[in-house]
Amino acid sequence: MELRAELLKSIWYAFTSLDVEKSGKVSKSQLKVLSHNLYTALNIPHDPVALEDHFSDDDDGPVSNQGYMPYLNKFILDKVVEGTFAKENVDEFCWTLCAKKNYRPKNGVDVLPDKDAFHLWCLFNFLSEDNYPLVLVPEEVEYLLKKICIAMSVELSCVDMEDFISQEAVQQSGITVWAFLDFVNTGRLTRGMVKDSVTMAIDEVYQEIVGNIIKQGYLWKKGHLRRNWNERWFSLQPSTLHYYVSEDRKECKGCIELSHNCCVEVLPEKEGKRCMFCVKTLTKTYEMSAPDTKQRQEWTTAIQTAIRLCVEGKKSLHKDLKLRRREQREERERRHTAKEEELQSLRLLQWERESKLAELELLQVCARASIQAEMALKDVETERQRRRIRELEVMQLHLEEALHQEMRARQDEEVYFLAQARLLVEEEEKMKALLALQEEQEQYILKTQREKQELRQEMVTKSQALEEAQHQLEKVRASRHRMDQDIAAAQRKLRHASTSVKHWNIQGSQLCLCPPYETRAYACTIRGTKERRRSEERVNISGREEMCLYQASNEDMDCA
């Protein structure tokens, strides 16, 4: 399946290069030629009958990629046998087709030879994922460029790399092989380098990644028969360790099969050789000598890695590394996604918190406004109550003053009533004395009829006494008149006080307060009215009696 996937990548480029109009379809004649060449490159027996039947002219029109895939899978890829062909020949054939259409260095500057561009194209295909159209993620491009720079013993320019990766097209859809080759052809990567050095570095990386060579280089090897030391070019792959006469690898002198039964051991110096180590298999032990300790360490580590891959059943170190890098990228993406989700959730929580805070602030503002409104209403109500209390206090003062006035008026009235009673008592006494005098006068009148002389003398005396009595009566009347005026003034004051009390009681009832002295004032008013009427009646009776006495005295005087 891995070989099929790698072949499909190269064939896809060949198919798309034949699609001149970029419609996703290729003419049948071109596909027939492509299939014939694939038969040859993959060392598959030709099947001209199936080829003609599938691409017959009965069905007019071009064939799409999906239409060509069934034939490609059934009659070509299913018949591929690994090891019977050179994959490099297939890649070179597909590269020849697609490079004519797509590989055009800018400004006519051809920094890379065609062979180097072909090797980079193969490296790009190897590192790309099985997703079409084929693109390379920026991490894999950086990995490939770092490998080439390490092979050239230079350091990769991070600025140039960042400028290339930060392009908008690269960020959106990834890096295509033609954009990658254009970047290498700009000369930024190989600035100041000789073309041969660049070619050697690209070829080394190509042999390592595409050629599946873990390590290669010169080592001294001890022979099994002649037991002499010969310098050989060793090429280490995951399951084999080949050694050649020279680095052109034309003459292979032998192959060491690696398995889980093999091991690597470091040997001490002997026979004038330093930095020795050996590879032990079930049947033989291969002794070798490296140029220095560093090389020996690198070779022993590389051979142990090849044995580990063989034990794990993996055929390519770089495919395993590619899988690990992809897993690391996926893990980073998962972590990034999880971090983004966490940040999103945190932002959501922050937004909810801010919204809740905003709602809380709004509620606080509303509550503050409502509280302020309630406080304003309460202040208005409080002020109204205060005004009402002040009015009630003023009213209470007026009521108290009216009550004091009423009390003083009642006290004055009582004083006047007492004085009037005394005057009435005196008047009664005077009336009694007057009646007694009248009786005496009548007796005197009777006696006068018998004794006129005595009567006349007595009449003179009595007249003087009567005049004196009348004078005293006039004084009493004047005093009673003054008392009547005082009583009338007291009654007027009493009526004024009663009117004031009634007025303030009415205002108190309007303020929903019961007048504290209404019943008492009303009762006092009634009592004062009754007493006043009794006193007036007594005065009227005494006046009538006095008038009768006066008339009687006048009649007596007339008779006399």
Side-chain angles (χ1 to χ4, degrees):
M1 293 299 292
E2 293 181 357
L3 178 61
R4 180 187 290 260
E6 294 298 325
L7 290 174
L8 278 175
K9 291 180 181 179
S10 300
I11 296 171
W12 179 79
Y13 278 109
F15 182 89
T16 54
S17 65
L18 297 176
D19 182 14
V20 180
E21 297 179 357
K22 295 183 179 180
S23 61
K25 296 182 178 181
V26 180
S27 65
K28 293 179 181 179
S29 59
Q30 289 178 319
L31 290 178
K32 191 183 296 184
V33 175
L34 175 62
S35 302
H36 188 275
N37 284 283
L38 288 175
Y39 277 122
T40 304
L42 294 171
N43 197 16
I44 299 172
H46 291 267
D47 191 354
V49 177
L51 186 65
E52 293 296 334
D53 290 342
H54 192 81
F55 297 104
S56 62
D57 294 334
D58 298 337
D59 185 12
D60 295 332
V63 179
S64 64
N65 187 16
Q66 289 79 10
Y68 181 61
M69 283 302 295
Y71 176 81
L72 180 65
N73 287 322
K74 182 177 180 181
F75 294 100
I76 298 178
L77 296 180
D78 288 347
K79 298 179 180 180
V80 171
V81 179
E82 189 174 0
T84 60
F85 68 96
K87 183 179 178 298
E88 187 175 357
N89 295 335
V90 180
D91 292 339
E92 192 169 359
F93 162 69
C94 295
W95 161 257
T96 303
L97 286 177
C98 64
K100 289 179 180 179
K101 177 184 176 182
N102 300 298
Y103 182 51
R104 298 186 184 92
K106 294 181 180 180
N107 301 324
V109 180
D110 191 4
V111 177
L112 294 175
D114 186 70
K115 184 178 179 181
D116 293 346
F118 166 67
H119 286 168
L120 289 176
W121 180 78
C122 294
L123 289 167
F124 187 94
N125 292 343
F126 181 88
L127 296 175
S128 63
E129 300 295 334
D130 299 337
N131 299 320
Y132 297 91
L134 294 174
V135 293
L136 209 60
V137 296
E139 290 84 357
E140 292 296 319
V141 173
E142 186 177 1
Y143 171 77
L144 178 58
L145 293 178
K146 282 183 179 179
K147 292 288 290 184
I148 296 172
C149 289
I150 290 172
M152 292 189 300
S153 300
V154 296
E155 187 176 355
L156 177 64
S157 175
C158 297
V159 177
D160 296 337
M161 187 65 193
E162 289 293 332
D163 292 342
F164 175 60
I165 293 177
S166 62
Q167 295 177 8
E168 184 177 356
V170 172
Q171 293 292 331
Q172 291 180 354
S173 59
I175 303 170
T176 62
V177 66
W178 313 117
F180 173 70
L181 291 176
D182 288 340
F183 172 71
V184 178
N185 274 321
T186 57
R188 296 180 185 178
L189 188 67
T190 59
R191 189 181 296 115
M193 298 296 297
V194 183
K195 285 189 176 183
D196 292 340
S197 301
V198 176
T199 301
M200 290 176 61
I202 294 175
D203 184 68
E204 180 182 346
V205 177
Y206 174 79
Q207 293 295 334
E208 178 183 351
I209 296 177
V210 179
N212 202 16
I213 296 176
I214 299 175
K215 186 172 179 58
Q216 59 183 356
Y218 281 106
L219 291 174
W220 288 91
K221 176 184 173 298
K222 187 175 183 179
H224 291 283
L225 298 177
R226 305 174 76 177
R227 309 302 291 174
N228 58 341
W229 291 88
N230 296 308
E231 190 176 25
R232 302 294 184 207
W233 178 265
F234 281 81
S235 178
L236 176 63
Q237 291 181 318
S239 59
T240 58
L241 178 60
H242 291 85
Y243 49 95
Y244 304 88
V245 175
S246 61
E247 57 183 307
D248 56 7
R249 297 186 298 178
K250 292 182 179 180
E251 184 180 354
C252 181
K253 299 299 290 184
C255 176
I256 303 173
E257 297 291 338
L258 301 177
S259 66
H260 64 281
N261 296 317
C262 299
C263 66
V264 182
E265 292 182 1
V266 176
L267 300 176
E269 298 181 5
K270 64 178 181 179
E271 299 179 5
K273 294 294 180 183
R274 302 172 56 231
C275 305
M276 292 183 60
F277 65 95
C278 67
V279 178
K280 291 183 179 181
T281 65
L282 290 176
T283 57
K284 292 183 181 180
T285 299
Y286 299 90
E287 295 181 5
M288 285 162 277
S289 174
D292 52 36
T293 306
K294 181 181 178 182
Q295 286 290 326
R296 180 178 66 179
Q297 181 64 33
E298 290 179 357
W299 272 104
T300 54
T301 304
I303 294 171
Q304 289 173 353
T305 302
I307 294 172
R308 178 181 59 80
L309 292 173
C310 185
V311 171
E312 294 175 356
K314 298 177 181 178
K315 297 181 179 180
S316 174
L317 173 62
H318 284 279
K319 286 183 180 178
D320 182 48
L321 295 176
K322 173 186 171 183
L323 181 61
R324 291 182 183 179
R325 290 195 299 274
R326 181 173 64 188
E327 291 174 352
Q328 291 175 358
R329 285 197 303 274
E330 291 174 352
E331 181 65 23
R332 285 197 300 270
E333 290 176 358
R334 283 194 297 271
R335 291 179 181 176
H336 181 70
T337 304
K339 188 175 181 180
E340 287 294 331
E341 292 177 354
E342 185 178 356
L343 290 175
Q344 187 67 23
S345 62
L346 289 175
R347 292 192 194 98
L348 181 61
L349 291 174
Q350 182 68 20
W351 179 79
E352 291 178 353
R353 181 173 176 272
E354 291 177 356
S355 62
K356 288 181 179 179
L357 288 175
E359 291 178 359
L360 183 60
E361 290 178 358
L362 181 61
L363 290 174
Q364 289 178 352
V365 170
C366 295
R368 194 178 297 113
S370 63
I371 291 172
Q372 289 176 355
E374 291 178 0
M375 290 296 293
L377 292 175
K378 289 183 178 180
D379 290 340
V380 172
E381 182 66 21
T382 304
E383 185 64 25
R384 190 175 66 82
Q385 293 291 338
R386 286 177 182 173
R387 288 198 301 271
R388 185 177 177 184
I389 290 170
R390 286 196 294 269
E391 291 175 358
L392 291 174
E393 289 176 352
V394 172
M395 187 179 296
Q396 183 179 4
L397 292 175
H398 288 299
L399 286 173
E400 289 177 355
E401 185 178 357
L403 287 174
H404 288 308
Q405 290 178 359
E406 184 179 4
M407 291 174 67
R408 286 196 297 271
R410 286 178 181 174
Q411 290 176 359
D412 293 340
E413 185 180 9
E414 289 177 356
V415 172
Y416 293 147
F417 278 139
L418 291 174
Q420 187 179 12
R422 288 195 299 272
L423 289 174
L424 289 173
V425 170
E426 291 178 357
E427 187 177 1
E428 287 179 355
E429 291 177 354
K430 295 293 182 182
M431 288 296 294
K432 289 178 180 180
L434 182 60
L435 290 174
L437 290 173
Q438 286 179 352
E439 290 177 355
E440 289 178 358
Q441 188 178 9
E442 288 177 353
Q443 291 175 2
Y444 288 145
I445 288 171
L446 293 174
K447 288 179 180 180
T448 301
Q449 289 177 358
R450 289 188 294 251
E451 295 177 354
K452 290 184 178 179
Q453 291 297 331
E454 293 178 1
L455 184 58
R456 287 178 181 174
Q457 293 177 357
E458 291 177 0
M459 281 182 64
V460 172
T461 306
K462 295 291 182 181
S463 296
Q464 292 177 355
L466 181 60
E467 288 178 357
E468 186 178 355
Q470 287 179 351
H471 181 67
Q472 291 180 356
L473 180 61
E474 287 177 358
K475 288 182 179 180
V476 170
R477 287 178 178 176
S479 177
R480 189 186 67 179
H481 181 68
R482 286 193 302 272
M483 290 300 296
D484 290 338
Q485 288 179 352
D486 293 338
I487 289 170
Q491 288 176 352
R492 283 194 303 272
K493 288 181 182 182
L494 181 62
R495 283 194 299 271
H496 178 70
S498 298
T499 304
S500 177
V501 168
K502 288 180 182 180
H503 172 69
W504 288 111
N505 286 333
I506 290 170
Q507 287 189 357
S509 65
Q510 289 178 356
L511 293 173
C512 299
L513 294 175
C514 182
Y517 301 103
E518 180 178 359
T519 306
R520 181 179 176 185
Y522 181 71
C524 293
T525 303
I526 293 172
R527 187 172 63 250
T529 303
K530 290 180 179 181
E531 291 177 357
R532 187 169 60 253
R533 287 178 180 177
R534 287 196 298 269
S535 64
E536 287 177 356
E537 288 176 356
R538 286 195 299 270
V539 170
N540 291 331
I541 292 170
S542 62
R544 284 196 300 269
E545 291 177 352
E546 187 176 352
M547 184 61 66
C548 291
L549 290 174
Y550 181 74
Q551 290 177 357
S553 63
N554 288 332
E555 289 177 356
D556 292 336
M557 289 178 68
D558 290 336
C559 291

